[in-house]
Amino acid sequence: MKKLCFLIIAPVFVLFAGCMGESPPPIVEARGVVTLNGAPLPNAQVRFIPQIDFGPEFIATGVTDDEGNYQLQCSGQPGACQANSIVTVTEADIPVELQSESKQRELSVYLRSLKNRPIPRSYGSPASTSLNVTVEAGKPEYVLDLER
């Protein structure tokens, strides 16, 4: 009986072990600049969504600075998965200190200070964005040129 159970269970275990043995692609250095109609796009959220069969923890994110520069982070480390990725660009989160009811005036000033707005909605969804890049080791710079 033990031999029969082993003969039935062993192939099933080998099948599952083979499926689960695949590891995600390596995370490599990834940074760049985002422009909209040729001008830097500050305070924008950039997401590289790798087209791999692993979970959302492999989505790399970054926020642009005043010159449109961004540095991606993925799974708690700098960079992005080495893979073909769909890229989205949206408004970054509102700073925490401006999120209360009493800070509406300051929030309004902050929102008016953001340059090169609005960000076209088409870049905000994986279904509608035209941005697609292949992240490669040894190629750390990814320039994203958006247009209205």
Side-chain angles (χ1 to χ4, degrees):
M1 181 69 172
K2 287 184 181 180
K3 284 185 179 183
L4 181 59
C5 285
F6 177 76
L7 290 174
I8 293 171
I9 293 174
V12 172
F13 178 74
V14 169
L15 178 66
F16 282 116
C19 293
M20 296 173 64
E22 201 173 319
S23 59
I27 295 173
V28 298
E29 185 179 1
R31 64 180 183 277
V33 64
V34 180
T35 62
L36 177 57
N37 289 349
L41 186 63
N43 203 46
Q45 176 81 48
V46 179
R47 285 187 178 88
F48 278 44
I49 305 165
Q51 302 304 288
I52 58 175
D53 292 330
F54 291 91
E57 64 271 15
F58 291 100
I59 295 174
T61 62
V63 175
T64 60
D65 63 14
D66 288 341
E67 287 80 41
N69 298 304
Y70 66 90
Q71 176 74 44
L72 294 175
Q73 293 281 318
C74 180
S75 292
Q77 52 188 312
C81 276
Q82 185 176 310
N84 185 41
S85 296
I86 293 172
V87 180
T88 62
V89 179
T90 58
E91 290 292 345
D93 292 338
I94 295 171
V96 175
E97 64 273 10
L98 299 177
Q99 292 181 8
S100 71
E101 292 266 339
S102 64
K103 297 291 185 174
Q104 293 303 304
R105 183 181 313 282
E106 291 91 341
L107 175 59
S108 178
V109 170
Y110 166 78
L111 292 173
R112 283 194 309 268
S113 75
L114 294 176
K115 295 181 175 106
N116 210 6
R117 293 303 194 271
I119 299 172
R121 294 176 143 236
S122 61
Y123 295 107
S125 164
S128 63
T129 185
S130 59
L131 301 173
N132 193 321
V133 299
T134 300
V135 177
E136 302 174 38
K139 183 185 177 232
E141 187 79 19
Y142 300 91
V143 175
L144 306 173
D145 294 315
L146 285 59
E147 295 180 357
R148 281 193 175 50

